[in-house]
Amino acid sequence: MNKHTGWLMDLYPGAQGGLSLWLLCDGGERLQMQMNFPVCFYAAGESRLLRQAWMHLQGRELSLARTCRRDLFSGERDLLAITVPHPGELCNIFRTLSEQFPDLDYYNADIPLPLRFAAQTGIGLLGRCRVSRNEEGQVTALERLDSPWELEPEPLPLRVLYLSPDCDPVVCPPQQLQVRFERQQFCLNLKDPQTLKVSLEALLRRCDPDLILSDYGDTWLFGQLREWAPGLNPNRDPLKEIQTRNAASYFAYGQVIHRGAQVHLFGRWHIDRCNALLFGEYDLQGVLEQTRVTGLGVQETARKSPGAGITAMQMLTALRTKVLVPVVKQQAEGRKTLNELIRMDRGGLIFQPLPGLHKHVAQIDFASMYPSIMVQYNISPETNLSGAPPGDREEEGLVPHTLRPLLEKRLALKNQLQQLDPRDCRAGPLKARAAALKWLLVVCFGYLGYKNARFGRIESHQAVTRISRELMLQAKETAEDLGFTILHMYIDGLFVQKDGLGKPHDFTPLLEAVHSQTGIPITLEGVYKWLVFPSSRLDSRLPVPNRYFGAFLNGDLKYRGIALRRHDTSLFAAETQLGVLKILAQADDPREKAGEARRFAAWQLDRLRRGKIPLDRLRLSLKLSRELDAYRSPGPAARAGRQLEARGQPVRPGMRVHFWYVYGGVKVSDVDLKEIDLGRYRRLVERAVDEVLGEWGLAQEPVLPGFGAVPG
Amino acid sequence: MGRTVTTVTRQLQETRRMLSGFRRGLRRSDQYVLDGLFAGAQNHIAAIGECESLLPFEAALLAILLEQAKEISTLNHEIKILRGRLE
């Protein structure tokens, strides 16, 4: 009998049945093991149909039984339990059964394998464990050695191989593949496929990476490799083939999102940084943190939205508490009168800002407000829908039970981060991990109201916003009682000001008063030495919520809703706007620096005129919101999309297209500096500069909103 | 996400669209003042929403009056200061 200690890296249905596990051992070995792991799903419905289903399945290598379990929405249900000995076969058995018996309700049929494993053994992916195995490599015992909620998990000694082409394959055909592993860095020529194949095979053998971190690996590299180097198997498990998943466009979070085709490996991971939804937000450390707490695989976590992570966590809670996970949710919104709808169906509270320049403003934010409400008020589809504070005896609902440890961990990491010097080498990874958890908490509220969410219910969603509005009003009243002026309130944050107060500790009594009044922790985001709320571009008398820029006491900038934050801004315009803001931030009164900022903007425009701005700084990036044929009057993005399509590139809604403005239109590649439409770029830059230096911003004192003089 | 009732902001926009003929019939200078009235209501969207009323335009009219009262109060205050200086 062998015993090994290490991190659980990967698990999937084995090529010869059972489960295949990969352990990254403390000694540095990467061990593959096999394990018997039968999996179970359920069918419910009319007894007659269940009997027929039983007959249909009899005689196969399955185990059938009658049982009873709780559906969160409809209570206890009589079930037919179908246990499949090899997890890889579940999908086919479920598909044929559901096609044969579409009127039955199915449960626990589409649960990702790592979640089932975590629910049964207590060991999630990336968790530390001790494994005993016999001579045949079969796992005989497992022991959990840590928990996903540990604040400082032991870091994984990962071997990472970086692969990226020398240019964006959409813009021009790459000539070289840049390779980085530990301290080595070199290029492989793409012109000779045979040499490339030999080099890559040698590289994989020599480095044996745990992770291939690529650029365009999903959408270009592995597809090309299949053509250039057939027979090359980048998996660590030699019995497995690469798994590819098709590209998809879908509507989520109020926008069309395109996810490129995916390439998943077995025994090692592949992440394409350009096809990983939030990789830019929280990097590899964030992906690993999400894997730890959600239980989903690393390759899945990197590519899926945080909503999938929250769903996985809820599934895990359901599995552990023996609650059924429906394949298709069947609950619709309950009937309401119009008055009830008007009372309940409202979003968060937005208190319009007072446009203009303000000095010594404090921004205070409720910490993870919506998840905190869900936990504190026990809001879950099966519990509190009224929004009243829960009683002592009320059992904690599935959603708050899932969120509580996540919320506590995020707050603990945030506290740790606040105590660290930003230059400390631990600050970066900690920040990434905190951001990864933040995203899970951000989406958990939306998922509560999402009609397809397994454990979502619109009434719970509405209860959260109802409570949040009440708490925000309480915070406003508390602040006003203490003599503060409320400049702006946005969902979970307030901008407050009081004459004579300008240091962070001046606001501590306010924080304590709001916390004690509302019961939800509130933190000081910072004190601005100055802050501008711009008014609408269309009518300077109209305020715009959540659009502002300002400088904190230490000179750091914060901005929302301006060109810098938008994806459709060229790097050059963004850099110019940032440069202007940085100059303004040097002064206690930004008006003192307005002249210098204007000179900087003029210098940038002069550089543009003299052709000194590199082309990559002028590239724009816009998202296609629909199919190309659906554009009635095609804008620049659609025209760029058509050019790509004409070159044989697949173009789908939700894809981001990159292009340059040239004389007579747009161009997606082969652009020469002489073709660039300088006038158009100048206007874009001027607009970005005007956004922060416009007359509504810095040339005037704060004005009372309302009537203005009739112009001219 | 999940909302079926039109927001107060949207309802006010709808009202504004309904009144577009009325606006068109006004002089350019009056149109500017009318836009100012709506801007006044826009400043109090949160308060209008808190009314939970079927007809938010009633509360919007109150918000417009509130802005006018503020404006009058500011002007009165300024007149008082100017008078003080003259006397």
Side-chain angles (χ1 to χ4, degrees), chain A residues 421-609:
Chain A
D421 187 311
R423 291 164 300 181
D424 193 311
C425 63
R426 290 167 297 175
L430 207 58
K431 206 171 171 182
R433 289 172 55 211
L437 299 184
K438 179 189 167 179
W439 273 101
L440 289 171
L441 291 168
V442 165
V443 300
C444 72
F445 160 70
Y447 258 62
L448 204 56
Y450 175 43
K451 68 178 166 56
N452 293 333
R454 315 289 175 110
F455 300 109
R457 184 161 178 179
I458 190 70
E459 287 84 358
S460 316
H461 180 88
Q462 290 167 344
V464 176
T465 50
R466 194 160 67 247
I467 296 166
S468 81
R469 288 195 305 272
E470 174 56 32
L471 296 182
M472 286 295 277
L473 285 176
Q474 287 178 13
K476 176 187 88 78
E477 285 157 4
T478 307
E480 285 175 337
D481 286 348
L482 291 172
F484 286 90
T485 303
I486 309 293
L487 297 177
H488 183 31
M489 292 202 292
Y490 192 82
I491 314 285
D492 62 352
L494 297 94
F495 293 83
V496 296
Q497 190 187 41
K498 187 175 173 182
D499 283 345
L501 300 191
K503 297 272 178 285
H505 60 80
D506 293 338
F507 298 90
T508 310
L510 172 66
L511 298 178
E512 285 169 356
V514 174
H515 186 183
S516 98
Q517 172 66 39
T518 60
I520 305 273
I522 190 160
T523 54
L524 180 71
E525 171 76 10
V527 179
Y528 296 90
K529 51 184 178 183
W530 56 265
L531 178 72
V532 173
F533 290 111
S535 47
S536 161
R537 232 181 258 136
L538 297 173
D539 187 337
S540 62
R541 294 166 298 180
L542 282 176
V544 184
N546 207 28
R547 185 188 291 174
Y548 58 87
F549 54 88
F552 288 113
L553 292 175
N554 64 1
D556 284 354
L557 286 161
K558 184 164 181 184
Y559 36 82
R560 290 287 179 272
I562 60 173
L564 255 174
R565 293 277 297 187
R566 291 196 295 268
H567 294 294
D568 59 352
T569 309
S570 71
L571 213 49
F572 175 57
E575 282 169 352
T576 308
Q577 196 181 51
L578 185 61
V580 165
L581 281 173
K582 280 183 175 169
I583 292 170
L584 298 179
Q586 291 165 11
D588 287 342
D589 185 334
R591 285 168 296 195
E592 291 166 11
K593 287 281 181 180
E596 191 181 324
R598 280 190 199 285
R599 282 195 293 281
F600 168 75
W603 176 72
Q604 282 283 81
L605 286 174
D606 186 54
R607 287 177 63 217
L608 175 71
R609 190 180 55 79

Side-chain angles (χ1 to χ4, degrees), chain A residues 538-543 705-708 711, chain B residues 16-17 19-20 22-24 26-43 64 67:
Chain A
L538 297 173
D539 187 337
S540 62
R541 294 166 298 180
L542 282 176
F707 303 97
Chain B
R16 227 176 149 170
R17 209 166 296 135
L19 292 172
S20 61
F22 172 75
R23 186 181 182 277
R24 214 176 151 206
L26 297 173
R27 286 192 184 83
R28 180 68 52 91
S29 54
D30 290 343
Q31 286 179 357
Y32 185 76
V33 178
L34 181 74
D35 292 344
L37 292 178
F38 276 100
Q42 196 85 21
N43 281 310
I64 290 169
E67 283 299 310

Side-chain angles (χ1 to χ4, degrees), chain A residues 16-18 36-39 41 54-64 81-90 93:
Chain A
Q16 291 150 345
N36 282 328
F37 193 76
V39 287
F41 72 101
W54 186 300
M55 305 287 277
H56 176 80
L57 293 169
Q58 245 177 358
R60 299 193 192 193
E61 199 193 333
L62 298 169
S63 139
L64 303 173
I82 303 140
T83 305
V84 184
H86 303 300
E89 292 169 357
L90 185 141
I93 291 170

Side-chain angles (χ1 to χ4, degrees), chain B residues 4-59:
Chain B
T4 43
V5 175
T6 317
T7 62
V8 173
T9 312
R10 285 287 283 280
Q11 286 193 53
L12 285 187
Q13 280 169 355
E14 286 294 321
T15 311
R16 227 176 149 170
R17 209 166 296 135
M18 255 166 48
L19 292 172
S20 61
F22 172 75
R23 186 181 182 277
R24 214 176 151 206
L26 297 173
R27 286 192 184 83
R28 180 68 52 91
S29 54
D30 290 343
Q31 286 179 357
Y32 185 76
V33 178
L34 181 74
D35 292 344
L37 292 178
F38 276 100
Q42 196 85 21
N43 281 310
H44 300 288
I45 289 287
I48 298 167
E50 285 307 308
C51 283
E52 296 176 353
S53 159
L54 267 176
L55 300 168
F57 191 57
E58 287 176 352

Side-chain angles (χ1 to χ4, degrees), chain A residues 130-163:
Chain A
R130 186 172 294 120
V131 185
S132 308
R133 62 170 186 160
N134 60 21
E135 297 306 315
E136 287 83 45
Q138 284 282 339
V139 174
T140 51
L142 280 161
E143 186 189 347
R144 189 179 93 165
L145 298 178
D146 71 356
S147 139
W149 307 114
E150 275 180 29
L151 291 181
E152 288 176 32
E154 254 184 85
L156 267 87
L158 287 179
R159 296 197 286 246
V160 185
L161 174 68
Y162 297 86
L163 296 177

